[in-house]
Amino acid sequence: MLLALRKDTLNGDPESLHQPLLSSQRSLVNSTSQVAIVGSNVSPIESLDYEIIENEFFKQDWRSRGASQIFQYIFMKWLLCFLIGLIVSLIAFCNNLAVENLAGIKFVITSNMMLERRFLLAFAVFFASNLGLTIFSAVITALIAPAATGSGIPEVKAYLNGVDAPGIFTVRTLFVKIIGSITAVSSSLLIGKAGPMVHTGACVASLLGQGGSKRYGLTWKWLRFFKNDRDRRDLVMCGSAAGIAAAFRAPVGGVLFALEEMTSWWRSALLWRAFFTTAIVAIVLRAMIDVCLSGKCGLFGKGGLIMFDVYSASISYHLAEVPLVFILGVIGGILGSLYNFMLSKVLRVYNFINEKGTICKIVLACVISIFTSFLLFGLPWFASCQPCPLDAAEPCPTIGRSGNFKKFQCPPDHYNDLASLIFNTNDDAIRNLFSRDTNEEFQYSSMFIFFITCFFLSIFSYGVVAPAGLFVPVIVTGASYGRFVGMLVGKRTNLHHGLYAVLGAASFLGGSMRTTVSLCVIMLELTNNLLLLPLIMMVLLVSKTVADAFNANIYDLIMKAKGFPYLETHAEPYMRQLMVGDVVTGPLQMFNGIEKVRNIVFILKTTRHNGFPVIDEPPLSEAPVLSDDFAKKGSNKGEKIEDIQLTEEEMEMFIDLHPFTNTSPYTVVETMSLGKALTLFREVGLRHLLVIPKITGRSPVVGILTRHDFMPEHILGVHPLLVSSRWKRLRFRFRCLGNLFSGF
């Protein structure tokens, strides 16, 4: 009899995968833990079991369930989705409220001092507030929860693929993600809060799914109902959809983003629950916005990212505009791929600095903040003052609040167009760029300077040790690029500059993030105008196609740089040429069905991997076991073998392993192609895949496949000759493409 035993059914959950992408060392023995950069620290990585382990515990648990328990199980899924939507929407509202008022007060005080011609004091306030907010965010992130660094989307995407990084869904990470995001975004760093909202939603979902946090005494027994990674994965997916929906007030876009970009597995039942979750988000946010529109939320309600809603008016365009929009998409794709390339290089440099220690992480964040403050305060001085338009829809100049007309150093009845973009929150800057009937508001030089500033500042700001998103910076950069193109085109088109800003934002998003359907719906929900649908679809398709010719999307590049063993949807061509027996490494440790405790302890202490074949006759023991005692704990909460104290007498005892083993593990023959095995491994969500011999009479198990064995770095390390043949194929393809284009 061949069965599979998991180490975490006996003790904890430490698993072996492979050496990280960050390391050049490699071992042919699968006995060391995978490590990757989680946040700003290097941490061990585990794999998740999205396959149901059909051992005696599982069978006993389901046999004992009656109709009422099955109903409770289904009801709890929907109840948790409701709670996720409610909590995430309230967090998003509070985030927007805090950022709008915290940053708004800073800008109002600075602007008032500028009106009094106290320029040095105004800069001192602007500089000190930015630096203080950055230091606070960097310190709590570096010291309390380093896993909260960055947007969190790569970590959540890897988790939904089956990679369990430590600390990404803890209470500390959730707290730091919320507070750190508020202070970092308010510090004028060119970062966004949409990405952190995805991570926040995933954290809320994970904590609810495992019944809270035992470490902090925040546990609720009535929530501790889901005992496997599959159910928790579904909740995390709903949480990530709720995060996007809450960040942009785009419920349909949130569901589609989770489907298109985040999750690796999908089914119709999950679609219903995700849509229900985002619907709750939309309803709660709508209620909160109504409260703010009554003037009870300070500066919030007069700006804010929750709803741009700038294009409810009718627009008209003709076939003559299509070539211009096509070119806009091509340039957006090129800029997006360049953005991804430069960001990945900067992150590698930042990683080298962060490895020096916590102090270096905080100092790097301070340097970026200081540079940003000098740049943002100094650039508007190079812009000439513009007379206030006579038909302005709002007071000009803008004093004491957000708006399109900032006076800065200008004389009365004049405004500084560059300061109007810089001395506003990113949300208000986007609103200004998207606004219609403002074709004469911005100068060519100001728009070009703002585009270059946003492009590079967003690249250098993202890697600091603080919660930081990419969505909003990419939208701001793309909108400034699109509006600049619209200004160059001028009156030769029926499309006004604000519409070009929307299309530029869509093209830059498509070129950087490479999603199409979800981004299209998000942009439509932001602008509130279905008439833009054909143009947005075209720029997204064109920009994604162009950018795909250069590099991968930004989140995939970040995952690879961090070292996450992400399984792609497709197999590399060389995987079809290899059999699974070509990549299996050893030695392979096996257990007997009735095994001595000393042998088990020795193997668990001397190996770091998790799967062990159990070869024996049918079980001999009939001792009862309780499934609840062996239910999968929350992420990274398992005990380690070193924590278990055994007496000498207990070490000499024997234990029946059959109740712990998976009686129906997935197996493949050693002659199966590696590409086909990858498809099975990914689609089923496996953690281990047993390889059995083709010829009987040999050892019943050839080896065990894990994620490590499907990583290109491992395969090309075991078979280095594939590297040269891979480059030969690439050169042949480029030669064919060259011949193809030379024929036109």
Side-chain angles (χ1 to χ4, degrees), residues 207-223:
L207 290 171
L208 289 176
Q210 67 188 38
S213 174
K214 185 178 295 185
R215 179 176 182 179
Y216 298 99
L218 302 174
T219 57
W220 305 276
K221 291 184 178 180
W222 62 278
L223 285 177

Side-chain angles (χ1 to χ4, degrees), residues 44 107 109 117 130 132 158 186 217 319 332 334 345 350 361 376 402 442 520 546 564 599 643 724 733-734 739:
F107 288 130
I109 294 176
R117 317 295 292 182
N130 287 344
S186 302
L319 190 61
I334 296 174
K345 298 301 181 183
Y350 283 5
K361 300 175 187 176
L376 296 184
S402 61
F442 299 103
C520 181
V546 171
F564 290 124
N599 295 339
D643 299 331
S724 59
R733 290 175 184 174
F734 281 119
N739 295 336

Side-chain angles (χ1 to χ4, degrees), residues 256-388:
L256 293 176
F257 183 81
L259 167 62
E260 186 176 8
E261 176 63 23
M262 301 297 295
T263 188
S264 298
W265 295 276
W266 192 267
R267 58 187 190 278
S268 58
L270 186 57
L271 175 65
W272 277 100
R273 292 203 299 274
F275 186 73
F276 172 73
T277 306
T278 57
I280 297 298
V281 171
I283 294 171
V284 174
L285 284 181
R286 182 69 262 176
M288 294 295 101
I289 292 174
D290 288 341
V291 174
C292 283
L293 290 178
S294 63
K296 300 178 181 179
C297 297
L299 296 173
F300 184 72
K302 301 174 182 177
L305 181 63
I306 286 184
M307 188 62 174
F308 292 122
D309 195 12
V310 293
Y311 275 104
S312 56
S314 298
I315 59 172
S316 61
Y317 49 88
H318 306 286
L319 190 61
E321 273 87 34
V322 172
L324 290 174
V325 175
F326 182 87
I327 295 174
L328 191 75
V330 172
I331 300 176
I334 296 174
L335 290 175
S337 62
L338 177 63
Y339 183 89
N340 292 0
F341 172 79
M342 296 183 63
L343 181 59
S344 62
K345 298 301 181 183
V346 170
L347 290 179
R348 289 184 181 274
V349 176
Y350 283 5
N351 175 51
F352 176 78
I353 297 174
N354 291 334
E355 288 177 349
K356 304 298 181 181
T358 303
I359 299 298
C360 292
K361 300 175 187 176
I362 298 175
V363 169
L364 175 62
C366 293
V367 170
I368 298 299
S369 175
I370 293 171
F371 174 75
T372 300
S373 296
F374 274 97
L375 188 66
L376 296 184
F377 195 89
L379 285 177
W381 293 90
F382 295 96
S384 59
C385 296
Q386 299 288 106
C388 290

Side-chain angles (χ1 to χ4, degrees), residues 146-157:
T149 302
S151 70
I153 289 181
E155 285 81 358
V156 177
K157 184 176 179 179

Side-chain angles (χ1 to χ4, degrees), residues 422-435:
I422 290 177
F423 279 81
N424 265 322
T425 62
N426 290 333
D427 308 343
D428 289 324
I430 295 173
R431 182 182 291 273
N432 291 351
L433 291 169
F434 281 6
S435 58

Side-chain angles (χ1 to χ4, degrees), residues 592-647:
N592 294 315
I594 306 297
E595 188 63 76
K596 195 173 185 178
V597 174
R598 184 179 299 277
N599 295 339
I600 296 175
V601 173
F602 174 78
I603 291 178
L604 294 183
K605 286 185 176 181
T606 55
T607 59
R608 301 288 297 278
H609 57 277
N610 236 24
F612 304 94
V614 178
I615 304 172
D616 205 348
E617 297 301 321
L620 304 175
S621 172
E622 297 181 358
V625 291
L626 299 176
S627 61
D628 290 340
D629 296 335
F630 291 90
K632 179 71 182 289
K633 296 182 174 63
S635 180
N636 302 294
K637 301 300 183 183
E639 296 177 335
K640 297 181 179 180
I641 186 64
E642 290 78 10
D643 299 331
I644 300 177
Q645 302 297 325
L646 297 173
T647 65

